[in-house]
Amino acid sequence: MTISGEFIAFLFLAIAAIAGGVVMLNLTKVVHMVVALVFTFISIAGIYVMLSAEFVAAVQILIYSGAITIIMLFGIMLTRHNDESETSGLGRKILVGAGVLGFAAVMYFGLYSLDLGSQESADLHVNNTEQIGVAIYAKYVIPFELTSVILLVALVGAIILARRDDEDTDVVKEEATKE
């Protein structure tokens, strides 16, 4: 087996993505978890570039590393999450380590015995963006639009929940000043 630069780059990006996920599971502050998640998203975008899926890599960076991370930070700010309530003990770290090793073993043995058979070769590098656009807007237009509606409903729900919490705290403050 010869080790190429592509293999080393893939190994680096894969280990970085897995490390970002493991670090995210072991952190206690939610904002730090989001930063570790961004690290994982960027590593996965690098893997997409190696697979010649440049459009998917750009979407990964713009949507996941940008928009989804900002939505998570807004959610954290709107829900007043208490960072001090969670502890990171030795039991949790052992459980995370066992989970990662178990997942790695299942993936290794699952992929080692996988037989894909003979497949037709496809033109993967020709008009990637055009093929994605045709698939989304011709074949999958209804699920695409339903996803946007679901995201909009989730955003409106988060705003309503945040305002309800503000009203509840105002009522409690008014009752405390009356006494």
Side-chain angles (χ1 to χ4, degrees):
M1 176 177 140
T2 60
I3 297 177
S4 65
E6 184 177 343
F7 178 73
I8 292 171
F10 172 77
L11 199 60
F12 174 76
L13 289 169
I15 289 172
I18 293 169
V22 171
V23 166
M24 184 195 73
L25 292 174
N26 286 316
L27 292 173
T28 56
K29 297 201 178 284
V30 180
V31 176
H32 295 163
M33 289 178 179
V34 171
V35 172
L37 192 62
V38 168
F39 187 72
T40 301
F41 287 154
I42 291 173
S43 299
I44 292 172
I47 292 173
Y48 286 145
V49 168
M50 291 185 62
L51 292 172
S52 297
E54 294 84 10
F55 178 75
V56 179
V59 168
Q60 175 80 15
I61 297 239
L62 290 173
I63 302 298
Y64 283 104
S65 298
I68 299 296
T69 303
I70 289 172
I71 288 174
M72 286 180 184
L73 290 174
F74 275 132
I76 291 166
M77 290 187 297
L78 289 174
T79 57
R80 294 187 200 110
H81 181 75
N82 185 6
D83 283 334
E84 306 302 322
S85 65
E86 294 148 2
T87 59
S88 178
L90 181 63
R92 180 176 173 176
K93 290 182 181 182
I94 291 172
L95 192 62
V96 167
V100 168
L101 289 176
F103 178 74
V106 167
M107 291 303 293
Y108 175 76
F109 291 119
L111 291 176
Y112 186 73
S113 63
L114 183 66
D115 181 28
L116 296 176
S118 62
Q119 302 257 338
E120 295 178 15
S121 63
D123 291 331
L124 297 178
H125 304 289
V126 179
N127 297 331
N128 267 348
T129 308
E130 181 182 351
Q131 290 175 0
I132 291 171
V134 167
I136 286 177
Y137 293 116
K139 188 175 181 184
Y140 299 109
V141 70
I142 301 296
F144 181 76
E145 293 299 325
L146 286 176
T147 303
S148 66
V149 170
I150 290 171
L151 288 172
L152 180 64
V153 168
L155 180 64
V156 170
I159 292 170
I160 289 172
L161 288 175
R163 285 197 177 177
R164 186 176 301 151
D165 286 345
D166 286 342
E167 291 171 2
D168 290 344
T169 56
D170 290 341
V171 170
V172 171
K173 286 180 184 177
E174 289 175 10
E175 290 177 0
T177 56
K178 288 180 183 177
E179 295 175 356

